Amino acid sequence: MAAAASLSFSLDPHRHLSSNPHFTPSTSLLIPKHSFRIFHNSNRYTLKSSSSSSHSHSSTATSPSPPSLPSSSFLEAPLRTGRFLSNEDLEKLKSLENFRYYQELESGSMWVRVMRSEEMDITVGLLAESFAESMLLPSGYVVLLGFLVKQYLMERRELMPHTATLIGFYRSNKDEAKDESFEDKGESFEEKDGGFGGEDEDGVLAGTVEVCFDKKGANASTPTPTPPKNSPYISNMAVKKSLRRRGIGWHLLKASEELISQMSSSREAYLHCRMIDAAPFNMYTKAGYNIVKTDSILILLTLQRRKHLMYKKLPVLTSFSESETLCSEEDENHY
């Protein structure tokens, strides 16, 4: 099934095809100072800034220039949240920006980081398709779901650093061999593949997952059974259909746990899993999650699937051992 962790905003067609004030953003996002162009080619993309830096000249340079930040920096284009950001919040935003998780897989490699503002649309597309699949909706609903998902992601982004959306990229061994052949011929990958390259932009978007760290980032419409508001919560996991059974879902989960260990003082992580989703349930069980509570059978009267609320006590570590990050394809199944 496409979404392993249950949808944190209960994207149920019988609830959200009607009016729902939760999807109305309370504030708008600040337009970044730099504009970006996204170039597509075989599901690859690279980001190029269309702005040029300007320098002011002064005869008396009394103070050094501030260090330049990445064009998509959270700190360079702060979100208009309507609230004061403390120094602690700013430090946490910086930690989110610098977060990286990398893992070698049997079929290639993947890396995970926090979604940037210019990557929202491709993330929306992945989530909308996954939600439509998990709810058995016709493809015509993908556009509507995409609208709802984008409103939701905009709201959630305004709550950083108390919550974050992670995205994972995948690069197959065949692509790496292709790059090596280009280098042998004296050609760069950027020249051969239309300018696609760079440290984080030469892979395919493979999956996404959302992580909430504390009560301030808790969702107002968390599914039942309801997890504690002040505990970290993992939700909205989706893996691209063509890239399943490669360990991507497993490492999205591990990246989420690693980020929780860095961002939250709490070591109690919660997530939901639908009772019908056997493969994700097996994955969560292998990862150390246990069932806390299960929906009553009466939930079926609301046309919702029954779900397990699962819990894990995270180790007091900033990195995970090899035994915790490896999982066989058979155990991962769809992920």
Side-chain angles (χ1 to χ4, degrees):
M1 195 57 63
S6 181
L7 318 184
S8 69
F9 52 105
S10 301
L11 226 175
D12 183 89
H14 297 278
R15 295 180 58 186
H16 294 293
L17 294 186
S18 60
S19 177
N20 190 334
H22 179 69
F23 289 99
T24 303
S26 56
T27 56
S28 58
L29 295 175
L30 180 66
I31 300 176
K33 296 178 182 178
H34 301 276
S35 58
F36 294 88
R37 295 173 289 169
I38 301 180
F39 299 88
H40 297 273
N41 187 351
S42 302
N43 291 329
R44 301 175 184 275
Y45 67 92
T46 182
L47 304 176
K48 296 185 178 181
S49 176
S50 60
S51 62
S52 59
S53 58
S54 59
H55 301 277
S56 60
H57 300 277
S58 175
S59 57
T60 57
T62 58
S63 59
S65 302
S68 59
L69 295 174
S71 58
S72 57
S73 169
F74 300 136
L75 303 181
E76 182 182 21
L79 303 174
R80 292 161 66 176
T81 61
R83 59 183 174 84
F84 175 76
L85 291 179
S86 64
N87 290 334
E88 181 181 3
D89 287 340
L90 292 175
E91 286 298 320
K92 287 184 176 180
L93 283 176
K94 189 174 182 179
S95 297
L96 287 178
E97 184 179 27
N98 294 331
F99 176 76
R100 295 293 186 277
Y101 175 97
Y102 181 83
Q103 182 67 36
E104 290 286 347
L105 307 175
E106 290 185 6
S107 58
S109 59
M110 72 169 292
W111 54 98
V112 182
R113 56 172 169 76
V114 175
M115 179 190 74
R116 299 168 181 167
S117 59
E118 64 270 15
E119 296 163 334
M120 183 175 293
D121 286 340
I122 58 172
T123 306
V124 166
L126 174 61
L127 283 170
E129 292 177 0
S130 298
F131 294 161
E133 178 189 353
S134 66
M135 293 186 290
L136 303 178
L137 294 176
S139 58
Y141 279 85
V142 172
V143 175
L144 174 59
L145 289 174
F147 171 78
L148 298 176
V149 170
K150 186 165 186 177
Q151 299 303 307
Y152 171 80
L153 288 183
M154 290 173 65
E155 274 198 348
R156 300 302 290 167
R157 189 170 173 80
E158 291 176 356
L159 295 178
M160 288 197 302
H162 305 288
T163 184
T165 298
L166 300 180
I167 53 177
F169 297 91
Y170 173 77
R171 182 170 174 79
S172 68
N173 291 329
K174 294 180 180 179
D175 292 333
E176 294 176 358
K178 184 179 177 181
D179 291 351
E180 292 177 359
S181 67
F182 292 157
E183 292 176 359
D184 293 339
K185 295 177 182 179
E187 295 178 295
S188 68
F189 177 71
E190 291 84 352
E191 293 171 346
K192 187 69 177 178
D193 204 29
F196 296 91
E199 183 179 0
D200 279 337
E201 285 75 35
D202 60 349
V204 177
L205 177 66
T208 181
V209 63
E210 181 183 329
V211 186
C212 169
F213 306 112
D214 51 39
K215 187 175 181 179
K216 292 182 180 179
N219 199 301
S221 57
T222 306
T224 59
T226 307
K229 291 287 187 182
N230 57 344
S231 295
Y233 176 64
I234 301 171
S235 63
N236 297 336
M237 183 187 293
V239 175
K240 189 174 181 179
K241 192 172 183 178
S242 61
L243 295 177
R244 294 174 192 167
R245 306 186 183 213
R246 301 171 191 253
I248 292 173
W250 175 268
H251 290 292
L252 284 173
L253 180 64
K254 288 300 163 185
S256 301
E257 293 177 353
E258 185 169 324
L259 184 58
I260 288 173
S261 296
Q262 296 180 21
M263 298 292 294
S264 174
S265 59
S266 174
R267 292 296 176 262
E268 299 178 350
Y270 288 85
L271 55 80
H272 282 102
C273 181
R274 302 190 308 177
M275 291 181 66
I276 64 170
D277 293 337
F281 179 79
N282 292 336
M283 183 182 74
Y284 296 144
T285 302
K286 182 176 178 65
Y289 288 83
N290 298 305
I291 297 175
V292 176
K293 191 176 180 180
T294 302
D295 272 330
S296 166
I297 195 172
L298 297 178
I299 198 71
L300 298 176
L301 297 177
T302 65
L303 303 180
Q304 296 184 56
R305 300 284 190 178
R306 296 182 68 189
K307 300 174 293 298
H308 297 304
L309 176 64
M310 305 185 74
Y311 157 88
K312 177 181 179 179
K313 186 76 172 180
L314 300 180
V316 186
L317 295 173
T318 57
S319 62
F320 294 86
S321 66
E322 184 177 357
S323 62
E324 290 179 295
T325 57
L326 293 181
C327 181
S328 68
E329 291 186 2
E330 180 180 357
D331 291 326
E332 292 161 4
N333 201 349
H334 286 286
Y335 283 82

